[in-house]
Amino acid sequence: MLDQHTKDVVKSTIPLLEAAGPALTTHFYQRMFEHNPELKDVFNLAHQHTGGQPVALFNAVAAYAKNIDNLEALGAAVERIAHKHTGFLIKPEQYAIVGGHLLATLKELGGDAVTEEVLTAWGNAYGFLADIFINREAQLYQQTAAKTGGWEGTRRFVVQAKTPESTVITSFLLAPEDGQPVVEFTPGQYLSVSLDHEQLEFKEIRQYSLSDAPNGSTYRISVKREQGGKVSNLLHEHYQVGDIIDVVAPAGDFVLNTAAETPVVLLSAGVGLTPMKSMLNQLLSQSHTANITWVHACEDGAQHSFKQAIKAKRDVNTNLESYVWYRQPLATDLPAEDFDFEGTVELNNIAESIVPNAQYYFCGPIGFMKAIKQQLLGLNVPESQLHYEVFGPHADL
């Protein structure tokens, strides 16, 4: 455990951290990649270019300093990050590298304010937190490997099918090359794919939500082609049926967890429908008895993925209802046939489906999720019943 003096010294640096802001973690990443370029094979460099990862790390560092007297408050964040780390196959020895660069960054940016006492306190605090992550991640690795169909590291999968779902999203059905079972997952979790391709400067790992219910033999991911996205475009354009992809076992703490008699509302925008599709398929396969409401928003009919699949499920499941918003419908998009509402999602239009005892799962762009959260709170849904996933670096809504 950390002694009180260490905690007090760390807390005393909060004004310094806040004054530096994300520039602190931007410097940290630049320093780390300069001295340890091999870590470019581990980190998602796209998130460095957008600035999302430095901001997320800064928020995590600041939250740790502010809650160092009450680490239980960080339990959910630790679990989320530990799952992310297992998807990137983070190793215990890498924590020492990160810690060294973090302390060096504090010294380089903090100047005289960062004394040896401050460095010692932050070194102890970082080491304590690193041990928590190392131990939790070891548990996750071991638990997954011990399950039927489980494995450690990467495993070779064959692209068994490649299916366009819309103009921007394509599904990849992946089957293990060895023909053995695959470990079960909980709907909402993601799969990490590791690509080492001649068109990539570094090995790249990306995490994609699983978009179908677990079946013990294959996985399905549905990938959006991102403008300028090296990995997504590579998958869309070059990976075909029969190609091999290295895969890390499923992970993630955004999971479907609800009783059969509890109503469920699944809300998504754009590619955020991928974990929702997995949840929906699981609910229906388990004969969920309560109402299920599917809410989806996208640009137009050309970008509407799984449209026919959802219609078919609604036609044969009386407890399933769906509502679709198109932001700017095409001339060929038919109201009441292809979509229900135009513009952005306004839950007041379906207020009868927003019941206070339901569990709400939502995923999509940050702006969409912030709006959904505020609308649900405004409709008297308790915050404890709201569950969401951010693609990429985490952000609070």
Side-chain angles (χ1 to χ4, degrees):
M1 296 297 292
L2 294 173
D3 60 80
Q4 192 58 47
H5 178 70
T6 295
K7 294 178 182 179
D8 290 341
V9 173
V10 168
K11 286 189 293 185
S12 74
T13 65
I14 291 174
L16 175 66
L17 296 177
E18 292 179 334
L24 177 80
T25 43
T26 298
H27 180 90
F28 157 78
Y29 279 116
Q30 291 171 345
R31 188 184 203 285
M32 184 174 67
F33 290 140
E34 178 182 351
H35 290 83
N36 294 92
E38 72 277 7
L39 292 181
K40 291 181 179 180
D41 284 334
V42 177
F43 287 82
N44 184 336
L45 298 183
H47 293 155
Q48 302 298 324
H49 299 319
T50 63
Q53 189 59 52
V55 170
L57 178 61
F58 172 76
N59 290 338
V61 171
Y64 182 43
K66 293 175 181 178
N67 290 279
I68 200 161
D69 279 327
N70 180 30
L71 294 182
E72 291 80 6
L74 302 178
V78 168
E79 185 70 5
R80 181 180 62 251
I81 295 170
H83 275 271
K84 287 283 187 182
H85 284 179
T86 63
F88 288 105
L89 299 178
I90 298 298
K91 301 174 182 177
E93 57 267 28
Q94 291 168 332
Y95 279 94
I97 297 173
V98 169
H101 290 299
L102 180 61
L103 295 181
T105 296
L106 286 172
K107 182 61 177 176
E108 290 166 2
L109 295 191
D112 293 340
V114 179
T115 63
E116 287 302 316
E117 182 182 39
V118 168
L119 290 175
T120 298
W122 264 105
N124 292 337
Y126 173 82
F128 179 77
L129 184 61
D131 285 342
I132 292 175
F133 279 115
I134 289 169
N135 292 332
R136 179 57 182 144
E137 288 157 23
Q139 289 177 342
L140 292 172
Y141 286 131
Q142 292 164 6
Q143 288 169 1
T144 300
K147 294 178 181 178
T148 300
W151 72 93
E152 290 191 57
T154 60
R155 184 175 173 187
R156 287 165 61 88
F157 277 68
V158 181
V159 178
Q160 195 173 82
K162 182 178 178 182
T163 307
E165 308 292 357
S166 69
T167 57
V168 292
I169 294 176
T170 292
S171 290
F172 295 81
L173 185 65
L174 306 176
E177 186 183 44
D178 58 20
Q180 298 301 305
V182 298
V183 67
E184 294 285 333
F185 64 93
T186 304
Q189 291 189 306
Y190 46 78
L191 200 67
S192 297
V193 299
S194 177
L195 301 184
D196 191 0
H197 192 275
E198 61 183 9
Q199 293 195 15
L200 298 173
E201 184 178 2
F202 305 101
K203 182 183 294 184
E204 299 279 3
I205 298 177
R206 292 293 187 274
Q207 296 171 332
Y208 296 109
S209 294
L210 290 143
S211 60
D212 201 356
N215 59 33
S217 59
T218 61
Y219 295 130
R220 186 180 72 184
I221 57 173
S222 301
V223 180
K224 179 186 177 185
R225 181 197 292 268
E226 298 287 354
Q227 185 174 3
K230 294 180 180 179
V231 174
S232 65
N233 280 279
L234 187 65
L235 286 169
H236 274 252
E237 294 172 7
H238 295 283
Y239 278 82
Q240 306 299 332
V241 172
D243 287 344
I244 301 295
I245 294 178
D246 289 332
V247 173
V248 183
D253 67 329
F254 173 65
V255 294
L256 179 67
N257 181 20
T258 186
E261 63 276 8
T262 300
V264 176
V265 182
L266 307 172
L267 307 104
S268 62
V271 74
L273 87 171
T274 51
M276 303 299 121
K277 187 65 163 51
S278 178
M279 292 182 182
L280 176 64
N281 289 356
Q282 179 80 332
L283 289 167
L284 296 178
S285 70
Q286 294 180 339
S287 300
H288 192 77
T289 56
N291 288 339
I292 306 168
T293 303
W294 174 271
V295 176
H296 181 60
C298 59
E299 189 70 15
D300 51 45
Q303 296 191 22
H304 188 179
S305 299
F306 300 113
K307 178 171 66 174
Q308 297 305 323
I310 298 300
K311 283 185 176 181
K313 293 179 186 301
R314 185 189 60 194
D315 290 343
V316 298
N317 293 276
T318 57
N319 63 328
L320 173 63
E321 54 187 357
S322 69
Y323 301 99
V324 174
W325 271 260
Y326 285 176
R327 195 177 73 85
Q328 291 185 318
L330 301 172
T332 53
D333 293 332
L334 302 177
E337 175 64 24
D338 297 311
F339 67 100
D340 301 290
F341 303 101
E342 183 174 348
T344 57
V345 174
E346 292 290 342
L347 295 180
N348 281 323
N349 292 339
I350 57 167
E352 68 281 359
S353 298
I354 308 302
V355 293
N357 64 324
Q359 293 293 327
Y360 293 81
Y361 298 86
F362 50 104
C363 187
I366 293 293
F368 164 80
M369 292 196 293
K370 285 183 176 180
I372 290 297
K373 179 180 178 180
Q374 291 307 310
Q375 289 184 56
L376 289 172
L377 293 176
L379 291 168
N380 299 316
V381 177
E383 188 164 1
S384 61
Q385 291 163 217
L386 308 184
H387 318 280
Y388 69 95
E389 173 84 310
V390 175
F391 288 161
H394 183 74
D396 292 323
L397 301 185

